Each structure stands twice: as structure tokens, then as C-alpha cells.
Amino acid sequence: MKPIQVGLLGIGTVGSGTFEVLKRNQEEIQRRAGRGIEVTMVADLDVARAKSIVGANVQVVDDARKVIANPDIDIVVELIGGYGIAKQLVLEAIDAGKHVVTANKALLAVHGTEIFAAAHKKGVMVAFEAAVAGGIPIIKALREGLTANRIQWLAGIINGTTNFILSEMRDKGLTFDDVLKQAQALGYAEADPTFDIEGVDAAHKATLMSAIAFGVPVQFDKAYVEGITKLESQDIKYAEQLGYRIKLLGISKRTAAGIELRVHPCLVPAKRLIANVEGAMNAVMVHADAVGTTLYYGKGAGSEPTASAVIADLVDITRLHTADPLNRVPHLAFQPDAMSNLPILPMAQVVTSYYLRLRVADQAGVLAKVTGILANADISIDAVLQREAGEGESHTDLIILTHDCVEAKMNQALAEMQKLTTVLAPITRIRKEELN
Ligand code: HSE
């Protein structure tokens, strides 16, 4: 049978990896897919560079619409990124009856509902394994491998840049700014790393995983997003003394009231496997009723790891494209007419535990006042650590770990503590998850 024909929109890092791995492993891939898979057309603004990657047998153009208009192309792979032209091209490809593979988490987290509806109407597939955690097959695991389960929560290190920064801050005692410069020099962080360090990239990925885990529409606008820019090395050290590491986690939980969807720095017990995921690696923990807790670990970015996910989608589409669209795996794991309308909860309703650091006057009764406010709010204390005041210092640091409480109560208690004249600086609050 004639190989299935693929058109790439963009041949940068992931596109060239996809081309290379498809070529290198073509026999193995064909044995799995039942048919060859070939890149026959590429659109890229840098035509000369694209030609140097794909050689003379692949048609290279500078206009993505020529790929979409080519009747021989069965699958369009969108590797442009962003919400702008990429959105238009994906919708045009769907409208032209092409299946789409994309690594674009931002696009799907924000416009997924519109894109999946268009694909459903047209009877084509939109596959996006490469959009979350690069080479880790987490979409496949959530959508198919865990399909027997009622998933209860997931928590992931899903941004390599920030995990690299946090690892270096802990290992070498460096400041956030110093490590960010190092990450940029090493090419881990983008020249504009805002989406990484502000948690937006992780929130895009958490939004997609949450939708698939719980069968709710993608709702990036309702996600709580807090990055690592304000994290201080001293908190990483105090957390370590208490047996915790600080990680930027993407978390989504099902509760009776709704779905929690949040990205923020988080204390995690140092003994958990996920706490030991270092450098630019990614990992996702999923807790479900039948299987218990599972953990998925691997490279979350890079040319061939991400190509591995793109090609897995190409194989899936090759196997399924002749199947009745109603018998294919639904885009978001649940049948479109069986989606849940459980709301995404506002942060004030989220239940979690906390690490608090208070710079306080080293005087009698200070601890009693602080713990009194927590007791009045019915917030139970798990552990307290007080730094010995240095010679000649009249202040000290008070570190408090709490048990679970609803965030609204903690906000109120924090506001009251902050008003105490013996609390000398803005209180640092970092959330904590036991993940057990
Ligand atoms: N910028 C992302 C990261 C890689 O640092 O993990 C692609 O999602």
C-alpha cells in the first residue's frame, strides 16, 4: 500500500527530529503502522535551511497553505506554535479534511474546544501527544491506559526549564536570577522565558491533562497560575530541613464540589520519587481508584523525545484513519456528548496544606499570637521551625507547616498575621502536597 503522506508546517527542532526518526526507524514504524509513513512536503519560511534538512526528494515551500491545499497530503503536522497563525492553519487543515498532529499546548489549552468540535464535525483526528511532557506518553496513558479507572488526581513536573532552575538553586544555593541566566546560556530557557518561569507553559499542559483525566472541557482561563520568580533560596533550604523539596507542580484534582486546576511552587516530601526528578526532566503522577498511583518519567522536551510523541500520533492516525469516526478514541478520552460540567474551582475553595515563613521580632508571646490566629481559623499546625536569632539580631524566622485547610481560611489568617506589629516583613506562603 502507498505510504501515508505527511506535510510538516515548520521544520525547527521538533520537525527535524520527526523527519530524522521517521527515516531512521521507517521499517520498524511500518511494521507497527501496517503502512509506510512519509514526510513528502514541508512548509517553512527558511526554505534553504528546510531543504538542507530534508534533501531533494521532499517538496519544500514557504507557504503553509500550499501543504494544506495539496490533495495528496493525508496528515498535517503543525509545529509552528502560538495561538495566531497556527490556529488558523489548524482550522483550515481540518476544514480541508486533513488529520492534524500538533505539539501546540498553548493553542489547544486555549482554543481546544473550538478545534476539537471542528474536527469532530469533519470526522478527522487531532492528535497532541507531543503537547504535554514531550516524549512521555502521558496523553496515551490518561486517555487509554487508565480508561478503566476513576482518576482522582494528577500532579506533574511538566516544565523542564523551571525544574532545572529549582534543581540548581537547591544544589548550588544560587539565586533564581543567576540560574535563569545559566539556563538561557545553556539553551534550556527561551530568550523570553516568561511562559516557562511564570507557570503558563505548565498550566497549558495541566489544562490538557485535566480535561482528559476528568472529561471536562479545556478551560485554561480558569486555571490558577503562579510561577517561580518570587521563590527564594532560603525557602528551598528551610523546606529541605523539614524533609521537603520545592517543585513547580501542575495539579488537577477531582473533588465533590468541582475540579482543582492549579500550577504553583509546591513543597513535596523529599522521599517521594517525584521530588527526586532533577534538571530538565519531567514526571507526572496519576492517582486512580483501581490502579492506585502510577508515575511517568522522561524527557519533556528536545528534538527526538518530542518527535517520538509526534510519530506515535502519526502511527495512531495511520492505523485508525479508515475506521468509522464514531469508533475512534475520543479527543478528550470521553465521548463528546458525555462530558462533565463539573466546574473548575476558584483558588479560594482549593484544599491544601501550607509552608509559611514569617520574619518576626524575637520577643515573648510572638509565637503564641501567630499560632492563636491559626487556631482561631481552625487551621492545624503540622510542624514549627524557628531559626536561632543571629548575634545582635532582634528578629528571627518562624517556619510553620500546616495540615490541610481551605485556601480562603488561610488567606484570612495570613491577613490577620500580617497585621501583627511583631511580623516584620511580608509573609511567604508556599503550598504543600503530600502526594500520598
Ligand atoms: N519550554 C518547555 C519546558 C518545553 O521547559 O519544559 C516544551 O514544552
Side-chain angles (χ1 to χ4, degrees):
M1 198 187 301
K2 173 168 149 274
I4 202 149
Q5 300 203 16
V6 177
L8 300 184
L9 309 187
I11 187 153
T13 310
V14 179
S16 50
T18 301
F19 185 77
E20 176 58 34
V21 176
L22 266 179
K23 201 169 61 171
R24 189 172 73 228
N25 295 342
Q26 58 180 312
E27 269 184 44
E28 197 91 346
I29 290 167
Q30 179 163 355
R31 283 172 57 212
R32 292 196 172 102
R35 189 173 167 187
I37 300 175
E38 270 179 15
V39 173
T40 54
M41 195 169 180
V42 172
D44 199 288
L45 291 177
D46 192 341
V47 172
R49 196 184 149 275
K51 279 190 174 154
S52 74
I53 296 167
V54 298
N57 295 334
V58 177
Q59 190 185 351
V60 178
V61 294
D62 63 359
D63 179 0
R65 292 196 165 90
K66 288 194 179 140
V67 177
I68 294 169
N70 183 341
D72 293 331
I73 295 293
D74 303 294
I75 309 174
V76 170
V77 181
E78 183 272 308
L79 299 170
I80 297 167
Y83 325 98
I85 185 70
K87 180 186 174 198
Q88 259 170 279
L89 293 172
V90 164
L91 287 171
E92 285 175 29
I94 291 169
D95 197 45
K98 313 288 186 198
H99 301 288
V100 173
V101 173
T102 177
N104 192 337
K105 55 248 154 191
L107 174 64
L108 294 182
V110 176
H111 299 291
T113 302
E114 181 184 351
I115 289 168
F116 296 132
H120 184 66
K121 196 165 148 212
K122 201 75 192 177
V124 297
M125 290 171 267
V126 174
F128 53 97
E129 184 64 73
V132 181
I136 306 174
I138 187 64
I139 299 297
K140 192 83 167 174
L142 287 169
R143 194 166 52 191
E144 294 164 57
L146 297 176
T147 201
N149 290 264
R150 187 173 161 84
I151 295 174
Q152 283 141 345
W153 56 260
L154 59 87
I157 294 171
I158 43 182
N159 182 270
T161 303
T162 44
N163 202 52
F164 170 79
I165 293 173
L166 293 176
S167 296
E168 289 289 289
M169 285 174 76
R170 187 178 69 80
D171 265 7
K172 303 188 177 144
L174 297 171
T175 64
F176 171 80
D177 290 329
D178 286 341
V179 189
L180 176 60
K181 279 185 206 126
Q182 193 189 333
Q184 281 172 310
L186 286 169
Y188 289 152
E190 307 289 327
D192 176 5
T194 318
F195 269 24
D196 290 318
I197 61 179
E198 296 293 358
V200 177
D201 176 73
H204 287 145
K205 296 166 182 167
T207 299
L208 291 172
M209 289 196 291
S210 173
I212 293 174
F214 305 119
V216 294
V218 286
Q219 296 166 79
F220 172 72
D221 56 329
K222 306 233 172 73
Y224 173 79
V225 190
E226 182 185 318
I228 63 165
T229 51
K230 297 193 180 74
L231 211 57
E232 294 181 46
S233 311
Q234 54 178 323
D235 294 310
I236 294 175
K237 279 200 206 106
Y238 285 135
E240 195 145 36
Q241 286 174 33
L242 290 157
Y244 291 85
R245 300 234 168 118
I246 299 181
K247 295 288 181 189
L248 182 73
L249 290 188
I251 298 170
S252 191
K253 288 188 191 180
R254 185 209 303 258
T255 74
I259 307 282
E260 295 181 5
L261 175 57
R262 48 194 169 103
V263 169
H264 51 70
C266 198
L267 270 75
V268 179
K271 62 187 177 206
R272 300 268 176 274
L273 280 174
I274 199 166
N276 295 282
V277 171
E278 300 290 8
M281 300 303 281
N282 281 198
V284 182
M285 271 176 101
V286 183
H287 187 75
D289 66 343
V291 71
T293 304
T294 51
L295 175 70
Y296 308 83
Y297 169 84
K299 289 187 177 154
S303 178
E304 292 205 1
T306 312
S308 165
V310 168
I311 296 168
D313 281 344
L314 292 174
V315 171
D316 263 359
I317 292 174
T318 305
R319 286 171 174 155
L320 289 173
H321 77 292
T322 52
D324 174 354
L326 293 176
N327 292 330
R328 294 182 189 142
V329 182
H331 289 114
L332 293 178
F334 292 74
Q335 299 297 335
D337 60 357
M339 297 291 280
S340 160
N341 57 6
L342 258 185
I344 306 290
L345 294 174
M347 204 54 197
Q349 287 182 39
V350 159
V351 174
T352 186
S353 54
Y354 297 87
Y355 161 103
L356 307 175
R357 175 171 53 81
L358 296 85
R359 171 61 54 98
V360 292
D362 196 10
Q363 289 171 13
V366 172
L367 182 59
K369 277 192 190 140
V370 168
T371 54
I373 290 172
L374 290 171
N376 280 342
D378 203 20
I379 298 171
S380 170
I381 294 172
D382 181 28
V384 177
L385 178 76
Q386 185 175 328
R387 181 177 65 82
E388 225 175 288
E391 217 174 285
E393 271 182 356
S394 56
H395 62 260
T396 186
D397 288 337
L398 195 57
I399 318 298
I400 300 174
L401 298 185
T402 75
H403 288 296
D404 276 352
C405 73
V406 68
E407 179 127 337
K409 267 193 186 174
M410 177 52 77
N411 290 342
Q412 214 179 332
L414 279 172
E416 274 181 56
M417 286 189 261
Q418 197 66 75
K419 277 192 228 143
L420 295 173
T421 50
T422 44
V423 172
L424 307 174
I427 300 169
T428 297
R429 172 256 301 269
I430 305 174
R431 297 169 187 92
K432 170 166 93 63
E433 289 287 333
E434 292 297 325
L435 302 179
N436 52 12

